[in-house]
Amino acid sequence: SQQGEEDPQALSIQEGENATMNCSYKTSINNLQWYRQNSGRGLVHLILIRSNEREKHSGRLRVTLDTSKKSSSLLITASRAADTASYFCATARNSGNTPLVFGKGTRLSVIA
Amino acid sequence: GAVVSQHPSRVICKSGTSVKIECRSLDFQATTMFWYRQFPKQSLMLMATSNEGSKATYEQGVEKDKFLINHASLTLSTLTVTSAHPEDSSFYICSARRSNTGELFFGEGSRLTVL
């Protein structure tokens, strides 16, 4: 079953602008991860943030996590046309053998 | 880095036939693998958890007789779509959990088209 929602469902921006995508989830989590998927391709892992962390950076990516609101955001700074893809958040309920549950995703289009 | 290979990457079959999709962890052992289905412009929906040497655990609404899962070794899980129908056309993605670290790795997906 779907864990939560991403918003916006679709986002179109100009190259160089920042893109912010939000994710909400429903249950308690051990960690939250963001993935990218180019059309018709597999998933690329972007970043993992643990439940006891509030913010994490990786290159042009910045992820925040607010466990009290059960929400996370992914910020891509200085976007490039190559960032065009779908972005999904995924949550793991614990550190054991549970699967990742994916949000509905945001389709990002970066226009050159 | 760890690699998960799915085969075939694309398959077209006639309605009523069965199709087998393989998910292999190439350089690590995976006691547990997960199968997802993704319809166009939608998210990944978990279908089942595949455990080496035991029966798969299916998510609610997924027919176990329709989607047969076999995890006979620590590096291979297979998903067989039996008596496929056009509505089974989808993108099927597996992920494998590395046994010694717990890390998850995803395959590149298999696109099934049923005519």
Side-chain angles (χ1 to χ4, degrees):
Chain A
S1 61
Q2 289 299 115
Q3 170 70 292
E5 306 272 335
E6 267 108 322
D7 76 87
Q9 291 187 14
L11 178 62
S12 184
I13 59 174
Q14 296 288 326
E15 209 169 27
E17 293 180 340
N18 296 341
T20 300
M21 290 161 269
N22 302 297
C23 164
S24 61
Y25 56 92
K26 296 175 183 173
T27 64
S28 61
I29 60 170
N30 175 268
N31 64 71
L32 185 144
Q33 303 179 44
W34 283 90
Y35 285 84
R36 165 200 168 114
Q37 184 183 37
N38 286 358
S39 181
R41 301 295 302 275
L43 297 173
V44 175
H45 182 260
L46 296 177
I47 197 164
L48 179 151
I49 185 165
R50 301 193 188 284
S51 59
N52 60 352
E53 296 176 308
R54 292 295 165 260
E55 189 171 310
K56 206 162 183 181
H57 297 253
S58 175
R60 291 185 297 114
L61 305 180
R62 174 178 168 254
V63 167
T64 64
L65 178 64
D66 187 335
T67 52
S68 67
K69 295 180 180 177
K70 289 188 167 59
S71 68
S72 173
S73 67
L74 171 67
L75 168 68
I76 303 175
T77 60
S79 63
R80 305 165 182 168
D83 294 329
T84 295
S86 290
Y87 292 82
F88 297 95
C89 69
T91 53
R93 216 169 286 168
N94 56 52
S95 59
N97 216 15
T98 54
L100 286 179
V101 178
F102 286 82
K104 292 187 177 179
T106 295
R107 291 191 306 279
L108 174 66
S109 298
V110 181
I111 302 165
Chain B
V3 176
V4 175
S5 171
Q6 274 187 248
H7 179 80
S9 57
R10 290 178 184 272
V11 57
I12 301 172
C13 71
K14 292 183 179 179
S15 193
T17 61
S18 294
V19 174
K20 181 186 284 188
I21 300 170
E22 293 185 350
C23 178
R24 245 175 237 282
S25 54
L26 295 187
D27 53 357
F28 64 94
Q29 293 186 337
T31 309
T32 304
M33 294 185 179
F34 304 100
W35 287 96
Y36 294 84
R37 178 169 55 183
Q38 184 180 32
F39 292 111
K41 296 188 178 179
Q42 293 189 26
S43 186
L44 284 76
M45 296 292 294
L46 180 67
M47 298 175 68
T49 300
S50 170
N51 299 299
E52 186 267 337
S54 64
K55 291 183 181 180
T57 305
Y58 290 82
E59 294 298 300
Q60 193 173 10
V62 178
E63 299 174 58
K64 61 181 180 181
D65 295 330
K66 171 78 173 172
F67 298 100
L68 298 179
I69 290 172
N70 185 281
H71 193 153
S73 80
L74 286 170
T75 59
L76 175 64
S77 174
T78 61
L79 168 68
T80 301
V81 183
T82 62
S83 187
H85 290 283
E87 56 265 32
D88 298 323
S89 298
S90 188
F91 195 52
Y92 293 88
I93 301 177
C94 73
S95 69
R97 187 180 295 281
R98 189 171 192 155
S99 298
N100 58 348
T101 64
E103 294 170 276
L104 269 178
F105 300 94
F106 283 84
E108 277 289 306
S110 299
R111 183 164 302 285
L112 170 64
T113 303
V114 184
L115 302 176

